[in-house]
Amino acid sequence: MKAVIVGGGKVGNLLCEELSASYSELTLIETNEKLVQKIIELYDIQGIAGNGANYNILEEAEAGKADMFIAVTASDEINIISCITAKQMGAKYTIARIRNPEYTKTKEFLKNSLGIDLMLNPEYEAAKQINYMLKYPSANKIEIFYKDKVKMIEVTIEEGSVLNNISLIDSKKIIDFPALVCLVERKEEVIVPKGDYIFKVGDRVHITADEKHLKQFYKLLGKKDNINNKISSSLIIGSGKLTHYLIDLLREGNIYIKNVEINIEKANKISACYPDIDVILADGSDRDVLIEEGIETFDSCIALTGLDEENIIISLYAKKLGVSKAIAKINRNSLTQIAEDIGLYSYITPKRIVGDIIAKHSKSLQCSKDSLIENIYKIANNQVELIEFKVSENSKITNIALKDLNLNSNILIAFIIRNNKLIFPNGYDIIAPNDNIVIVNYKQNIKELDDILIKGDK
């Protein structure tokens, strides 16, 4: 299969790294010749120095033969023109990164009229993720899938949790409602837990359940206060595009917002757009400013400055003062592990969010030709896949009790969707034709549903 990526910036570089292994032919188009040379040497791909909106450059890259065409330059206009041109030349699936709010508002028109299959706004996607995290303040991260009906949250086992030093099998006596512990991250190790696994303080546990039962799970972790008291106020440090999208979302939830911004132009813009918002012209990384603005009185603090280090320090300081939820924007992947090592698990990385969405669509398209993959999600720093399959009539896993299936190691069946109803299965449940199932996959090459079985049982 062939892919073309226009733009070698942070997102483009990330995509080259992730897609180079899954496409037999990958071509990067980038105006900066030195950057092209650097990336093609790193990932052993093809590269062309030039403008991705230029027809001759696209022709040289054979964009018309692309199964996947992705435009992620810093210019919305170049991304749009590149995708339209590539589609007209014959590209099968086109994706454009769009950051201008005006284009975002008209994206359905652009998609339907101009043939752009997917339009992504990094700041808007990041704002949505922050909004979800505020709804579940005890969760480090949250994934939402299957029509918003199922949620997977990542929580940290803390001192005093009833799950501390409890085995997974014994936890069933405590987690006595439909839910599934899908995986655990212990330091840098990823574990698909078996019955004898013992939960320890510091474990980051990924659990899936519906909203009603997630609340019960929170109470088991000693987080009852965070469940009964919703986030009602937010102190936002920094005023970029992401802040604008986030304010719109938070206002829908009637959350009181105060914004601190050091740049007078940005502060005036926020104030003009949202006259009902308290906007403070000051340095949000200054301890005295934070104290004066009452940081400890807010339910949440969201650090969105242009400096990752500032965002991490502000969030840690907010946590120390007892703020229920502190979230940092971190652009550099190299800092995310450091943040986790010092106890900051709630952060967002806009380029990572966009990269994950594109990678998910890419794998879905690659597999959909000869399997029934409906969707793919990635968690645990992209090490673990959640794959949604449509079960075919001739699948070898149908009408057999789950306890009798010889599943590959590090595979779990998370839940079943049957006639629009959710089933969190036990060992006696069966999978039926036309069900949708979601599996948890760690370090297995799963391209079709029967790949979850040990080889001799396929």
Side-chain angles (χ1 to χ4, degrees), residues 6 109 114 216 239 242 253 260 373 376 416 423:
V6 179
F109 168 78
L114 303 177
Q216 288 181 251
S239 301
L242 172 50
V260 180
I373 289 181
I376 295 174
I416 301 168
I423 302 169

Side-chain angles (χ1 to χ4, degrees), residues 212-366:
K212 171 186 172 184
H213 293 115
L214 278 179
K215 291 185 176 182
Q216 288 181 251
F217 182 71
Y218 270 8
K219 292 177 181 178
L220 297 179
L221 295 172
K223 301 294 184 180
K224 187 174 180 180
D225 289 343
N226 279 353
I227 282 298
N228 294 336
N229 298 322
K230 295 181 179 180
I231 297 293
S232 60
S233 60
S234 189
L235 178 65
I236 304 174
I237 314 298
S239 301
K241 288 188 176 74
L242 172 50
T243 303
H244 284 262
Y245 291 117
L246 182 59
I247 288 174
D248 285 336
L249 293 173
L250 297 187
R251 289 170 83 202
E252 291 176 8
N254 295 317
I255 293 176
Y256 168 70
I257 302 164
K258 181 182 283 189
N259 180 224
V260 180
E261 170 56 52
I262 193 170
N263 181 291
I264 189 168
E265 290 182 9
K266 290 183 178 180
N268 285 337
K269 187 174 181 180
I270 286 282
S271 184
C273 291
Y274 307 103
D276 56 328
I277 299 297
D278 289 331
V279 180
I280 309 300
L281 180 63
D283 182 358
S285 65
D286 187 314
R287 173 187 175 276
D288 292 339
V289 169
L290 294 174
I291 294 297
E292 186 177 341
E293 298 308 326
I295 182 173
E296 74 280 359
T297 67
F298 284 83
D299 299 323
S300 62
C301 176
I302 305 164
L304 304 175
T305 77
L307 295 174
D308 292 349
E309 294 83 356
E310 274 191 8
N311 294 335
I312 292 170
I313 291 169
I314 292 167
S315 296
L316 289 172
Y317 185 57
K319 284 181 65 179
K320 182 181 178 181
L321 293 178
V323 176
S324 296
K325 189 67 176 179
I327 303 171
K329 182 180 75 170
I330 304 177
N331 285 315
R332 286 155 54 197
N333 279 336
S334 59
L335 284 178
T336 58
Q337 189 58 56
I338 293 174
E340 291 182 6
D341 288 345
I342 59 178
L344 180 64
Y345 299 113
S346 290
Y347 58 82
I348 53 100
T349 305
K351 69 170 184 178
R352 179 81 263 174
I353 292 170
V354 169
D356 288 350
I357 293 171
I358 292 175
K360 178 181 77 173
H361 280 270
S362 173
K363 185 161 184 178
S364 295
L365 287 168
Q366 287 180 52

Side-chain angles (χ1 to χ4, degrees), residues 370-406:
D370 44 39
S371 66
L372 296 173
I373 289 181
E374 300 271 304
N375 228 324
I376 295 174
Y377 308 83
K378 293 201 173 187
I379 57 175
N381 292 323
N382 271 9
Q383 297 180 80
V384 179
E385 293 178 328
L386 279 80
I387 309 177
E388 181 183 345
F389 285 96
K390 184 77 170 180
V391 182
S392 66
E393 296 279 350
N394 57 358
S395 172
K396 294 182 179 179
I397 70 167
T398 58
N399 301 316
I400 301 172
L402 297 188
K403 64 182 181 66
D404 296 326
L405 289 174
N406 290 322

Side-chain angles (χ1 to χ4, degrees), residues 126-144 153 218 231 250 300 302 324-328 345-349 353:
K128 287 197 300 182
Q129 187 67 240
I130 293 171
N131 193 36
Y132 286 138
M133 292 164 78
L134 293 181
K135 290 180 180 178
Y136 296 85
S138 295
N140 304 326
K141 299 181 179 69
I142 179 168
E143 300 288 340
I144 297 179
I153 62 170
Y218 270 8
I231 297 293
L250 297 187
S300 62
I302 305 164
S324 296
K325 189 67 176 179
I327 303 171
Y345 299 113
S346 290
Y347 58 82
I348 53 100
T349 305
I353 292 170

Side-chain angles (χ1 to χ4, degrees), residues 410-430:
N410 294 327
I411 294 286
L412 278 178
I413 296 174
F415 60 88
I416 301 168
I417 306 154
R418 182 175 298 152
N419 299 324
N420 213 32
K421 291 181 64 178
L422 291 174
I423 302 169
F424 290 91
N426 59 43
Y428 295 94
D429 283 307
I430 65 167

